[in-house]
């Protein structure tokens, strides 16, 4: 029973993996803001998840997301650059995305913490 409570829902775990990977990619973008020719990267997960939800792949246990966690790192606006040095990282945009991602990450952590508190309450018999 406890195993089912702990491992039944892995969606939060996957969402945490995506948030963590996105934080790494954003940090990499910020670190390379002054690197000539650097193209910003982005993590795509939600697009693939929404696509699979529309096509019913997940409900039919035919999801491709479980193979490699569905996390894909892509170059964003490869041919677009507003700077003369070819770099397309906008530091203000990256900071805003990082703030949004941080809020998402801590929200997910609070959700997992809540689940563990429920399990702790059950174990104590309360």
């Amino acid at each position: 029973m406890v195993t089912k409570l702990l491992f039944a829902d892995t969606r939060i775990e996957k969402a945490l993996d995506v948030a963590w990977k996105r934080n790494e990619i954003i940090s990499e973008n910020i670190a390379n803001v002054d690197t000539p020719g650097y193209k910003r990267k982005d993590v795509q997960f939600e697009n693939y998840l929404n696509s699979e939800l529309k096509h019913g792949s997940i409900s039919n246990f035919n999801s491709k997301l479980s193979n490699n966690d569905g996390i894909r790192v892509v170059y964003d606006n490869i041919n677009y650059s507003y700077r003369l040095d070819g770099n397309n990282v906008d530091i203000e945009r990256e900071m805003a995305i990082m703030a949004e991602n941080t809020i998402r990450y801590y929200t997910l952590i609070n959700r997992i913490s809540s689940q563990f508190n429920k399990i702790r309450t059950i174990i104590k018999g309360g």
Side-chain angles (χ1 to χ4, degrees), residues 41-125:
K41 297 176 187 173
D42 196 10
V43 173
Q44 287 189 344
F45 176 75
E46 290 84 2
N47 294 343
Y48 296 111
L49 179 63
N50 288 334
S51 173
E52 292 210 0
L53 287 172
K54 283 182 185 174
H55 295 101
S57 300
I58 292 177
S59 60
N60 295 332
F61 300 103
N62 194 18
S63 175
K64 294 178 183 174
L65 295 177
S66 59
N67 295 338
N68 59 1
D69 296 331
I71 304 170
R72 293 183 176 90
V73 178
V74 296
Y75 288 96
D76 189 20
N77 301 323
I78 292 174
N79 295 324
Y80 173 74
S81 177
Y82 65 91
R83 294 172 28 180
L84 294 176
D85 65 357
N87 187 317
N88 66 353
V89 176
D90 180 358
I91 189 71
E92 292 181 12
R93 181 174 182 233
E94 297 299 322
M95 296 301 283
I97 295 171
M98 181 175 263
E100 176 185 334
N101 192 55
T102 301
I103 291 169
R104 179 180 298 130
Y105 183 80
Y106 282 110
T107 301
L108 292 167
I109 291 290
N110 284 336
R111 179 106 186 243
I112 285 180
S113 178
S114 172
Q115 287 180 345
F116 280 115
N117 285 336
K118 287 178 186 175
I119 292 169
R120 185 179 303 132
T121 302
I122 291 170
I123 291 173
K124 287 181 179 178

Side-chain angles (χ1 to χ4, degrees), residues 4-13 111 115:
K4 286 183 179 179
L5 286 171
L6 286 174
F7 304 109
D9 188 6
T10 60
R11 291 177 292 183
I12 296 174
E13 181 184 336
R111 179 106 186 243
Q115 287 180 345

